[in-house]
Amino acid sequence: MSAAPRLNPAAPADTGTFIAADVGGTHTRVGLVRPGQGGDSVAVLAHRKYVCADYPSLAPILSAFLDEFTAGHGGGVERVVIACAGVVLDDRVVNSNLPWPISLSELRRELGLREVLFINDFQANANAAQCMAPDDSTLLTPGVRDAAPGPVLVIGPGTGLGAAVRIPHGRSTVVLPTEAGHTAFAPGNAREADMLRWARQRGQTHVPTEHFVSGPGLVNLYNALCALDGAEPALRAPAQITEAARRGDTLAREAVLTFCALLGSVIGDLVVVSGARSVFIAGGILPQLKDFVPDSAFHPRMLDKGVMRPVLEGVPVRLIENERLGVIGAASWYLEHLRDEAATRSTA
């Protein structure tokens, strides 16, 4: 692999073209972006998906992308915006699902960048979701299409479980990132309570929601059900479990249907907490499972929140299937960040 390209020091800071990266535990998606027409949208000039396990760190991924795509743009890319689960603490990204650590200052130095910014991945998704028209998504709540004005919940089970809330604020919005995947798993019936006990018997004092509601969580869920029924687990990956469920494998099908039910329950809890009036599920594993949702307890479990049921009955849930969502969201957030900075300078 070639060394990181050195960027043109004479390139203007306001060149308008920058890199947005959606960094997950399994894949990293990178886009070369610039402001769209009028500056209120994002134009993606190039996009590529990388397998994280194929690279020793994030820097070689970004280096490979820069090598391939920035030559035609004068080598003037000086900024990278990273969307990733977790938070930044003392320059490092705190995330339990990444295959390698990320230091923002080391990335800046290794790639010769002027600036590296970080945004929570679901904060980015929430910024992107506001750009999506209803036709860009799949409705998961038949008969419940129209949303009342108010906060919007964006959630997605992938390598972990991410969530953010977009809140109207005057003529703009505020996006509140969360670490909802690390909240304690809450069983909704006896079978799920047995799953929780199984996880605790394996040495976990804190069983997070994403232990069962995520891509790896589907495997954990299947293993738990096998253990409870005294069966030997024969499936090792989410895709294997999903395919076995389609073939009629009893435990695999129970695992997938339970996963959908648990996701519905978690969404209901987060809607109650946030006051959300609509929900977007952003990618992750659910596109591979969406055909199971109508046969599952997804919607009934979402609604099963006691006196809050009438409120939840009016909340539509949509699935967004757009691989560029995180890249678009990170870029959208960055452009808004620049506009806010410019407005602050103009009033100073």
Side-chain angles (χ1 to χ4, degrees):
M1 181 176 298
S2 63
R6 290 298 144 201
L7 302 170
N8 180 4
D14 59 348
T15 183
T17 303
F18 59 100
I19 299 295
D22 177 15
V23 183
T26 305
H27 294 103
T28 289
R29 297 167 175 86
V30 187
L32 180 66
V33 297
R34 62 170 172 76
Q37 191 171 9
D40 293 328
S41 61
V42 174
V44 180
L45 306 178
H47 185 270
R48 178 75 80 231
K49 182 169 75 172
Y50 300 88
V51 177
C52 294
D54 291 346
Y55 295 84
S57 68
L58 179 58
I61 292 177
L62 298 179
S63 177
F65 184 86
L66 287 163
D67 277 345
E68 184 175 0
F69 291 111
T70 61
H73 296 271
V77 177
E78 299 183 322
R79 290 168 174 78
V80 169
V81 185
I82 296 170
C84 180
V87 296
V88 173
L89 182 63
D90 296 331
D91 183 60
R92 293 190 175 271
V93 177
V94 178
N95 180 307
S96 60
N97 294 315
L98 292 177
W100 14 250
I102 296 177
S103 163
L104 303 186
S105 62
E106 288 176 9
L107 271 178
R108 188 170 60 247
R109 184 174 60 255
E110 288 180 47
L111 298 175
L113 297 167
R114 176 174 296 189
E115 191 174 28
V116 176
L117 296 97
F118 174 91
I119 179 175
N120 176 273
D121 61 340
F122 270 83
Q123 189 177 2
N125 286 340
N127 274 279
Q130 63 187 329
C131 306
M132 299 293 165
D135 291 344
D136 295 329
S137 59
T138 301
L139 185 70
L140 299 182
T141 49
V144 186
R145 304 185 64 88
D146 300 324
V152 176
L153 171 68
V154 182
I155 185 171
T159 306
L161 178 67
V165 183
R166 194 177 79 242
I167 305 167
H169 180 66
R171 295 183 178 181
S172 184
T173 59
V174 174
V175 176
L176 175 66
T178 80
E179 289 299 326
H182 295 287
T183 59
F185 172 70
N189 54 43
R191 184 75 154 165
E192 292 167 11
D194 289 340
M195 288 164 41
L196 176 60
R197 278 191 289 272
W198 172 83
R200 285 180 171 160
Q201 288 167 0
R202 293 165 62 87
Q204 290 188 251
T205 55
H206 170 66
V207 180
T209 298
E210 67 180 24
H211 183 76
F212 290 118
V213 188
S214 63
L218 178 59
V219 179
N220 293 334
L221 204 161
Y222 169 76
N223 288 337
L225 294 174
C226 286
L228 294 176
D229 285 4
E232 185 67 27
L235 308 170
R236 306 296 181 195
Q240 292 177 337
I241 295 168
T242 304
E243 287 308 310
R246 290 195 176 95
R247 294 194 304 267
D249 181 286
T250 302
L251 283 173
R253 182 171 177 80
E254 183 183 0
V256 171
L257 293 177
T258 301
F259 180 94
C260 296
L262 288 173
L263 179 59
S265 184
V266 171
I267 287 173
D269 287 339
L270 293 178
V271 167
V272 169
V273 169
S274 66
R277 293 294 179 259
S278 64
V279 179
F280 289 97
I281 302 176
I285 190 177
L286 200 64
Q288 286 73 55
L289 307 179
K290 66 179 181 180
D291 53 317
F292 290 95
V293 172
D295 296 326
S296 75
F298 171 84
H299 200 210
R301 287 286 294 272
M302 173 185 159
L303 301 180
D304 189 19
K305 305 299 172 185
V307 296
M308 294 301 294
R309 183 184 183 94
V311 175
L312 290 158
E313 285 176 340
V315 176
V317 180
R318 297 180 180 274
L319 171 64
I320 300 175
E321 298 179 71
N322 187 331
E323 277 217 331
R324 301 184 176 194
L325 189 71
V327 165
I328 292 170
S332 177
W333 169 81
Y334 176 62
L335 293 177
E336 186 172 336
H337 169 74
L338 291 182
R339 287 193 292 269
D340 290 344
E341 281 192 342
T344 300
R345 287 195 300 270
S346 68
T347 57

